[in-house]
Amino acid sequence: MTTRTVPLLRPAATPAPSNPIPSSSPAFGTPIHPFKLHKATTEVPKRSILTILLPPATLRPLAFRTFTKKHNLTLTSSALQALATFIGKNCGSGWREEGLAERILEEIAKSWKKIGGGVIVEGDSDELRSILRNLEGYMSGGRVAQGKALSRHESFTFGDSGNAASERSQGLEREESQTSPGMSTLRVGDEEEDGHANDPRKWLQIVGAFEQPRLEYIIGKKHFEQSTAPPSLLPSALHKTQLFRHRYHLIHQRLLRNESFQTSSFAPARAPSLQRSSSTVASAQNSYKITSIANLLGRSGSSHLLLGLLTIAPAGTLSLSDLTGSIALDLQHAKPVPENGAWFAPGMIVLVEGIYEELGADVGAGLGGGGGVGGTIGGKFIGFSVGGPPCEQREVTLGVSDDNNEGNRSAGGGFGWVDFLGVGSERALGSRMRMMEQRVIGRGATAQSSKGRSRVVIMGEVNLDSTKTLEALKMVLGTYAAESVEDSPMTVFLIGNFVQHAVMAGGGSGGSIEYKEYFDSLASTLAEFPTILQNATFIFVPGDNDPWASSFSAGAATPLPRRGVPELFTSRIKRAFATANTEAEKELGRRAHGEAIWTTNPSRMSLFGPTQEIVLFRDDISGRLRRNAIRFKAPDPEESRATNDSAAVTSQNVSPEDAEQMDIDHAVEAAESHIPTTNTRAADLISNISPDLFSARKLVKTILDQGYLSPFPITTRPVLWDYANALQLYPLPTALVLVDPEAPPFAVTYEGCHVMNPGKLVAEGRRGMAQWMEYDARSRKGKVRQAHF
């Protein structure tokens, strides 16, 4: 029988040694240095995360502070949306209180720079998706799991991993903060490891008209804010009024920023007049005062300067309208300022100087129509001078100043913090991008060569239904294919119309099948030049004869902006680029980055962020101006003879080369609102320039002074009301490609904006002659090139 010891009488157990391994002798086979045993800990269960829907606008301040201010990166709207979705899913409601989102954003920014991402973080890029995918696999409870790391990124430092790791992390952060040059200096770092970073095409971005941010100028804040209302193709009638109201506000605030419209405390009162003396210095210049139309009541016989929109009244007479009312215009004795230097047509916002005259029966009648502000004022306004609103340079709008004219620019004032294109603002990225531009394309005094990767080839009116066009295109591409890869152009613009007639409108043509065959023939032509396809970005801009809008308009003016050529017709061309890139990868062992982009009309090309902006626009605008322009009374013969005599005397020492440019960026001209008079240098050179250049300068001044690509009534040139912001030229772009086949080719500069018209690819009236434009991003100038084929 087995006996059991009572627990209370059980002998005490012998205490175990401090080391459970009693010996290190060979008999026991134990090591000399014993292992340190840890207590078994119970596994902490995973913390569950309740997914939330995080709005991108809520995350924007934190993302801006982390990406832009700390790491000099720019987030697009799609990238911000992707980050908001990721943080809401993996961090939950504790993204702000526990600081989870800030740590995640910090790690994503470091990983982006580690893999050599560009300055602009795109939401649909494969790099960002890969970072988020890898990061999600190492997250637990809104944090990166302790003891885990990504071999690909090697930058996760979340959690407590020991004092040494903490000190190392703090040391790295201190070192990074000391070496980081901030917003005003370029920091390339890991980007230099990627050879593709030296290709200017990496810093090129095409912004379509429907992708451009919709900004509104707020009068009370005197600043731009992004519109929160979703755009529509069929908006309410109120949006039509807002379209013209927004145009008026932009020009009005532009005038108030001009020193000629700023009241001085020491200057005496002055009668408004658009005629000025060029001998008047800026310090003695008296300011102009704009009178609203509603304030003309009861002031019959007094002189005023009005700013308003030229319109055609229901009675068929010309009238002027602003935000307070309308008034009939009498321009029988009016003179344009400058004389014959700009177009004036209904739909334009102009300055009119003259005298208000009340009719006998209308004295004291007040505002016509509804009897309140916004009606038509009785009487008429007799205009003596009509001029366009003075233009404002891009640097003035953005508040950028050039120190010592050496390219070292500083930003201050203006709208430098406004991101007009969604590629970053001037204050955030301007200095860094200019240094990157200097490193990649060598902009400045050192850029002397006429060749290089900074060139942009522009061809207009590429009619694919003409065999001569294809022959001219082969000649142009062959010219650049014979050059080395290092000197090949970075971008090639092919701008429509791609057919001479609207084949999609029917009328006995083959319709879509015929149009597809034309692009297939273009693909065969492009395939003969694989080196150009591998090293250049081709950008296609449609015209009025291209689908789908031409199916309903039959080639007439279609609503602006309009979408690009549908993908249905572009498959063969995309295949040609894919084949060329594959051949380059097989033969040269490197990946080629040639691509074809089908964009809208108009469209914008951003090069090095906010540093350079090129606007692309295809329209028969010169013919429309000639058809709708106002005709003024011809000047007296004696006055014209006196003007010509004075111009001949002052222009004797002017060389013909000086007449080619349109730069009027001098201090005195700036003080006088850039409105030249008969005694200015611009008028003196009229007799020395060719008629083609004179008409080009007249067209350029009209468009840039209006700051709008289509300054016509909606009945003349339809516009999509909610997307009219894509037609604004504020701030002025670096260059404007205005493709108008009815106008001769030209390249002129006005107020720092270089405007180019390549004309038709096949020159009219000259057999076997091709003409195109070549723009150099280093010098920011273009030149017309011609060659026989």
Side-chain angles (χ1 to χ4, degrees), residues 468-616:
K468 293 184 178 180
T469 301
L470 296 178
E471 294 177 3
L473 182 61
K474 288 182 181 180
M475 185 275 302
V476 175
L477 295 180
T479 302
Y480 295 102
E483 301 175 350
S484 61
V485 176
E486 292 76 11
D487 293 333
S488 61
M490 66 172 175
T491 309
V492 177
F493 290 125
L494 295 180
I495 304 176
N497 295 310
F498 293 114
V499 288
Q500 302 181 45
H501 307 285
V503 298
M504 301 297 298
S509 61
S512 60
I513 298 178
E514 181 181 353
Y515 193 82
K516 179 69 166 58
E517 291 177 352
Y518 293 145
F519 274 95
D520 291 346
S521 61
L522 175 62
S524 301
T525 302
L526 296 178
E528 299 178 9
F529 307 96
T531 56
I532 297 294
L533 302 188
Q534 297 164 6
N535 298 282
T537 299
F538 280 69
I539 300 173
F540 296 82
V541 181
D544 289 335
N545 290 341
D546 298 309
W548 293 110
S550 62
S551 304
F552 309 96
S553 64
T558 57
L560 291 175
R562 56 152 303 166
R563 297 191 179 273
V565 177
E567 296 183 0
L568 171 66
F569 307 101
T570 63
S571 58
R572 189 72 63 87
I573 294 181
K574 293 181 179 179
R575 192 184 311 167
F577 277 86
T579 302
N581 293 335
T582 303
E583 293 178 356
E585 190 170 359
K586 291 181 179 179
E587 297 177 359
L588 305 177
R590 62 175 178 83
R591 181 182 176 186
H593 300 276
E595 61 176 336
I597 300 177
W598 307 82
T599 185
T600 60
N601 181 31
S603 183
R604 298 171 191 258
M605 185 182 83
S606 171
L607 188 61
F608 297 99
T611 304
Q612 291 197 43
E613 175 188 349
I614 302 176
V615 178
L616 312 172

Side-chain angles (χ1 to χ4, degrees), residues 96-175:
R96 175 181 291 171
E97 290 79 3
E98 302 179 17
L100 302 179
E102 185 174 2
R103 300 176 183 176
I104 294 296
L105 293 175
E106 176 73 17
E107 191 54 42
I108 294 175
K110 290 181 179 179
S111 303
W112 177 267
K113 297 176 70 174
K114 187 67 178 178
I115 64 176
V119 177
I120 301 175
V121 182
E122 296 284 354
D124 54 354
S125 62
D126 297 334
E127 293 83 358
L128 182 60
R129 294 176 183 173
S130 176
I131 293 174
L132 298 180
R133 190 185 312 112
N134 294 332
L135 179 60
E136 187 175 9
Y138 287 88
M139 291 189 65
S140 176
R143 297 177 174 86
V144 174
Q146 299 181 11
K148 295 183 179 181
L150 287 179
S151 59
R152 181 175 179 181
H153 302 295
E154 301 177 355
S155 60
F156 290 97
T157 57
F158 298 154
D160 297 331
S161 56
N163 295 333
S166 177
E167 293 175 359
R168 177 178 178 273
S169 175
Q170 295 175 2
L172 288 177
E173 291 178 357
R174 286 195 299 266
E175 181 182 358

Side-chain angles (χ1 to χ4, degrees), residues 360-407:
D362 295 331
V363 175
L367 292 173
V373 174
T376 302
I377 293 181
K380 62 181 178 179
F381 190 79
I382 304 175
F384 298 147
S385 302
V386 180
C391 194
E392 185 177 77
Q393 295 185 6
R394 179 179 179 88
E395 289 76 10
V396 176
T397 304
L398 300 179
V400 179
S401 60
D402 194 347
D403 300 337
N404 299 325
N405 295 326
E406 296 179 356

Side-chain angles (χ1 to χ4, degrees), residues 260-279:
S260 296
F261 290 83
Q262 296 175 358
T263 304
S264 175
S265 303
F266 305 98
R270 158 182 188 160
S273 175
L274 293 182
Q275 304 293 338
R276 304 184 177 192
S277 173
S278 60
S279 61

Side-chain angles (χ1 to χ4, degrees), residues 41 65 124 131-132 206 220 245 269 303 354 379 433 437 440 450 461 524 526 544 571 616 636 643 674 691 754:
T41 57
R65 185 167 62 248
D124 54 354
I131 293 174
L132 298 180
I206 300 298
R245 186 189 303 270
S303 300
M433 287 292 97
E437 178 188 20
V440 175
S450 60
E461 200 68 10
S524 301
L526 296 178
D544 289 335
S571 58
L616 312 172
D636 296 335
T643 301
H674 309 287
H754 193 66

